[in-house]
Amino acid sequence: MDCCDVAIAGAGIIGLTTALELAARGRKVTVFDQGEAMAEASRAAAGMLAGADPENPTELKELTQLSLSLYPEFLERVEFLSKKSIPIRTRATVQGLHEAPRDARTLSEPELLGRAPGVHANGWQFVQLDETSFDAWDLAEALPSAVRAAGIDLREHTAVLSARCDDGGAEIVTVSGTFFAGAFLNATGAWAPVLEPALPVMPRKGHMLTVELPGCVQMDCVLRTPQVYIVPRGGNRYTIGSTVEDAGFDRTVDPLRIHELFSRAADLWPPLREASIAETWVGFRPGSADGLPIIDQTGANRWIGAGHFRNGILLGPGTGRVLSQWMSGRRPEIDLSAFRLGRFVAASV
Ligand SMILES: Cc1cc2nc3c(=O)[nH]c(=O)nc-3n(C[C@H](O)[C@H](O)[C@H](O)COP(=O)(O)OP(=O)(O)OC[C@H]3O[C@@H](n4cnc5c(N)ncnc54)[C@H](O)[C@@H]3O)c2cc1C
């Protein structure tokens, strides 16, 4: 009989970080993905670990801190297991705000120009944040190999069609047959409601582009405002993002949206006017009804980890850690009440 301790639907960052944590606790894990691992939101991302963004919801603070504390060890482990490198591309973010928090130190113009030569302040107040970023494509290349090297059974092109769970375990029907597991995790990102009807998660489409500047590197930090961000990707490449659209699972790349992003970025950082577009793409953030993740037990031997919206790369290792603790019968090390499904029921009565 085809079986394991834990079956996970979805091989994005949430499914795979949880799988790695469970495997480290000695659990036999199988992960199914309907397509290729790390080919959806987790690869589309800009790769900013934007834990210091003053615009983040306060409810994310503890999970953010946990995740950031795990990141160095997580990346080291993935690099070791996969034998692939995930270089840190930036170690600071310069963020423009409508109004900086009262206790924040705003950058003077010479400081701003020292960090991001040529930037146009355009009325924003800028603060410097201690944040790092990496290229999400590097993680997308390495993480599936790391997972396999850790002994996890990763089955690509194997959609989960349904999962029935009770006290005895989980019966999972996939396109290639039925599978049995001790427990089941739905980590299917924006697709999570397919397996969990009525779940308040929907795709929030984001357009992105990477441009190439002629000449050498001119900026080595992330430059971000509420309207646009510019992320150095090494050499003379910069990734620019992103829109947030409610357009279902429409994979069309709209040239008008790309043009709009490019112009916003070039208004903020005029050296980009010389750049040429190298790549464009879209991705589907899993957005929940209140923009916060959903991390919960939804029945006997059944869990959900979805809805990480704009911060799933940041929150991946932390989410994997708490889900693996919970699924192994331990108390998660941080309070997850803000992420439980009951909040939507409470909000609707
Ligand atoms: C344009 C863009 C920019 C972003 N930038 C950042 C950033 O800078 N920093 C940050 O922290 N976050 C960022 N994010 C958000 C982040 O990418 C997501 O929150 C995160 O990747 C969600 O991970 P996930 O594993 O839940 O979903 P996904 O990565 O989408 O993985 C879900 C997986 O489930 C699979 N699946 C679906 N249905 C089934 C099924 N029935 N059976 C089996 N498999 C199934 C899919 O094929 C997919 O591989 C960005 C997102 C986008 C789109």
Side-chain angles (χ1 to χ4, degrees):
M1 191 192 295
D2 218 0
C3 63
C4 67
D5 295 330
V6 179
I8 297 177
I13 190 164
I14 302 303
L16 295 186
T17 52
T18 310
L20 272 181
E21 287 277 343
L22 286 164
R25 286 166 202 275
R27 313 292 297 277
K28 191 177 165 212
V29 184
T30 299
V31 185
F32 301 97
D33 200 285
Q34 66 183 6
E36 280 170 28
M38 294 289 287
E40 295 290 354
S42 300
R43 189 170 71 189
M48 296 177 287
L49 303 183
D53 186 336
E55 310 226 317
N56 283 349
T58 49
E59 291 90 339
L60 290 183
K61 199 168 168 193
E62 233 190 323
L63 185 57
T64 295
Q65 280 167 354
L66 173 64
S67 217
L68 285 174
S69 74
L70 297 174
Y71 242 105
E73 192 190 320
F74 167 68
L75 289 180
E76 214 174 283
R77 184 154 176 243
V78 173
E79 288 186 322
F80 173 77
L81 286 167
S82 67
K83 303 192 171 29
K84 294 178 181 175
S85 117
I86 309 165
I88 296 296
R89 303 284 182 179
T90 61
R91 295 189 182 275
T93 292
V94 169
Q95 176 147 358
L97 298 161
H98 291 294
E99 204 176 327
R102 233 180 284 149
D103 56 345
R105 196 180 81 74
T106 52
L107 295 179
S108 65
E109 201 174 321
E111 284 172 326
L112 178 62
L113 289 169
R115 283 274 25 172
V119 66
H120 265 190
N122 290 342
W124 300 105
Q125 295 188 338
F126 284 90
V127 293
Q128 182 167 324
L129 308 173
D130 283 333
E131 281 182 4
T132 52
S133 75
F134 55 79
D135 189 333
W137 277 77
D138 292 334
L139 183 66
E141 282 290 302
L143 188 51
S145 310
V147 156
R148 288 197 164 106
I152 293 158
D153 179 10
L154 173 57
R155 301 189 188 189
E156 297 179 296
H157 305 289
T158 311
V160 172
L161 303 176
S162 67
R164 214 178 58 210
C165 304
D166 58 26
D167 290 340
E171 184 187 276
I172 292 126
V173 179
T174 77
V175 287
S176 357
T178 301
F179 193 89
F180 297 92
F184 172 71
L185 170 67
N186 178 356
T188 55
W191 293 265
V194 175
L195 298 174
E196 222 84 34
L199 192 76
V201 169
M202 67 291 297
R204 312 289 313 273
K205 179 175 175 178
H207 276 82
M208 299 275 279
L209 66 151
T210 290
V211 300
E212 281 177 6
L213 265 177
C216 55
V217 181
Q218 302 192 32
M219 185 171 65
D220 63 1
C221 63
V222 169
L223 189 56
R224 187 166 70 217
T225 71
Q227 296 177 345
V228 73
Y229 51 75
I230 305 165
V231 184
R233 282 269 160 108
N236 54 357
R237 289 165 74 86
Y238 297 84
T239 289
I240 297 168
S242 178
T243 58
V244 181
E245 302 159 50
D246 292 314
F249 288 103
D250 173 13
R251 290 189 188 268
T252 314
V253 176
D254 179 349
L256 284 176
R257 299 274 189 177
I258 294 294
H259 178 72
E260 198 179 288
L261 277 173
F262 184 73
S263 330
R264 277 191 199 158
D267 284 349
L268 181 64
W269 193 47
L272 285 180
R273 293 197 180 120
E274 306 300 318
S276 55
I277 295 179
E279 281 170 73
T280 57
W281 68 96
V282 297
F284 304 111
R285 304 174 190 88
S288 73
D290 61 4
L292 295 174
I294 298 173
I295 303 171
D296 206 352
Q297 180 163 14
T298 55
N301 292 312
R302 186 179 188 117
W303 278 264
I304 173 99
H308 288 70
F309 191 35
R310 304 191 77 156
N311 283 307
I313 302 298
L314 166 69
L315 301 173
T319 302
R321 172 64 56 92
V322 294
L323 272 171
S324 73
Q325 289 167 335
W326 201 349
M327 296 180 79
S328 308
R330 289 180 48 202
R331 194 187 158 98
E333 69 188 79
I334 59 166
D335 176 18
L336 297 175
S337 47
F339 309 133
R340 300 198 65 176
L341 267 170
R343 72 191 193 263
F344 298 111
V345 180
S348 67
V349 285

